[in-house]
Amino acid sequence: MSVPARRTVLYVEDHPVNALLMAAILERRPELDLHIAATGDEALRLAASLQPVLLLLDLGLPDCHGSRLLGLLRALPGCETVPAVAVTADAYFAIEDWGFLELWPKPLQVDDVLARLDALVGTAPSPPPRLPDEPFMQTPDLAPLAPHCR
């Protein structure tokens, strides 16, 4: 059985706590590689080499607005049609005016983010490991140890 290719998600976020939260969420989707950029400039450099399958953009970046960054990312080869999500505390931001597919409001809800990741990039949770039908180890007879354990 072949191992599926890992796919890249680019998250542009300048707040370290938000970046850590997204990293923790994406740990539940091991087939995705999360790359985090703290500025628009860094995001442009990364996106050019990563070929991401999903763009997650904070709007309030230190060097540009996330909507402006999306326009710049769209000019890069391979990023023209990558789904883009605005990840922001501004729940009233008009995503349709800027080319975002959807908005994920902060604070992020873990289950919602996972469900949307699954829908947008075709991931799914890994099934839990299956226990063998037969025990792989016999329980030892502890009776001979009984006199020594009093």
Side-chain angles (χ1 to χ4, degrees), residues 80-106:
E80 302 92 344
T81 61
V82 173
V85 175
V87 182
T88 180
D90 182 0
Y92 299 105
F93 178 73
I95 61 170
E96 60 278 352
D97 294 342
W98 299 99
F100 288 97
L101 186 61
E102 56 191 51
L103 183 143
W104 294 353
K106 293 178 186 174

Side-chain angles (χ1 to χ4, degrees), residues 27-50:
E27 283 181 4
R28 296 186 180 183
R29 296 299 181 263
E31 64 278 10
L32 297 175
D33 282 326
L34 178 66
H35 291 263
I36 300 171
T39 65
D41 207 34
E42 184 182 359
L44 289 167
R45 285 193 308 274
L46 280 173
S49 63
L50 291 176

Side-chain angles (χ1 to χ4, degrees):
M1 180 158 94
S2 66
V3 176
R6 295 177 58 85
R7 293 171 290 163
T8 299
V9 173
L10 177 59
Y11 182 35
V12 188
E13 172 62 66
D14 63 315
H15 196 286
V17 172
N18 292 334
L20 285 172
L21 175 59
M22 188 66 76
I25 292 171
L26 266 80
E27 283 181 4
R28 296 186 180 183
R29 296 299 181 263
E31 64 278 10
L32 297 175
D33 282 326
L34 178 66
H35 291 263
I36 300 171
T39 65
D41 207 34
E42 184 182 359
L44 289 167
R45 285 193 308 274
L46 280 173
S49 63
L50 291 176
Q51 299 291 305
V53 296
L54 182 63
L55 301 168
L56 305 174
L57 307 179
D58 181 25
L59 298 181
L61 299 169
D63 59 346
C64 67
H65 193 269
S67 59
R68 170 78 176 121
L69 176 58
L70 181 56
L72 296 171
L73 288 166
R74 292 285 185 229
L76 295 175
C79 288
E80 302 92 344
T81 61
V82 173
V85 175
V87 182
T88 180
D90 182 0
Y92 299 105
F93 178 73
I95 61 170
E96 60 278 352
D97 294 342
W98 299 99
F100 288 97
L101 186 61
E102 56 191 51
L103 183 143
W104 294 353
K106 293 178 186 174
L108 296 173
Q109 301 300 312
V110 174
D111 290 337
D112 293 343
V113 170
L114 290 170
R116 294 311 304 146
L117 278 171
D118 295 343
L120 291 170
V121 296
T123 57
S126 301
R130 188 172 172 273
L131 296 175
D133 294 331
E134 303 260 335
F136 61 91
M137 185 173 105
Q138 297 296 323
T139 304
D141 180 10
L142 300 178
L145 298 176
H148 304 288
C149 296
R150 290 184 197 166

